[in-house]
Amino acid sequence: MGLAPNFSFLAISIITMTTGRTLFSGTFEALVYDSLKENKQEKRYNKVIANISSIRLISPAIAGAIGLSL
């Protein structure tokens, strides 16, 4: 994206990234649910997804803070 020579390439890269993120999100949630269902723990799905989302938000913040301190 940073090296896009014009707006068309920028738009294509944004569309590609957004589509990839959407497809990953759906398959990841299905994998989590299927794994929980396999262990007969599908009632924990919402909590597990919430924990994973929290870790995904906190990790870059911590890495950024460490990077700034170095």
Side-chain angles (χ1 to χ4, degrees), residues 46-62:
N46 288 331
K47 185 171 180 150
V48 170
I49 288 294
N51 288 340
I52 291 171
S53 297
S54 296
I55 292 169
R56 281 187 180 170
L57 291 172
I58 292 170
S59 298
I62 292 171

Side-chain angles (χ1 to χ4, degrees), residues 32-33 36-49:
V32 169
Y33 184 79
L36 289 170
K37 189 172 183 177
E38 203 173 89
N39 296 327
K40 304 212 187 299
Q41 296 180 350
E42 57 267 11
K43 293 178 185 175
R44 296 183 54 220
Y45 173 75
N46 288 331
K47 185 171 180 150
V48 170
I49 288 294

Side-chain angles (χ1 to χ4, degrees), residues 24-38:
F24 173 77
S25 173
T27 55
F28 181 74
E29 290 179 9
L31 176 65
V32 169
Y33 184 79
D34 287 346
S35 298
L36 289 170
K37 189 172 183 177
E38 203 173 89

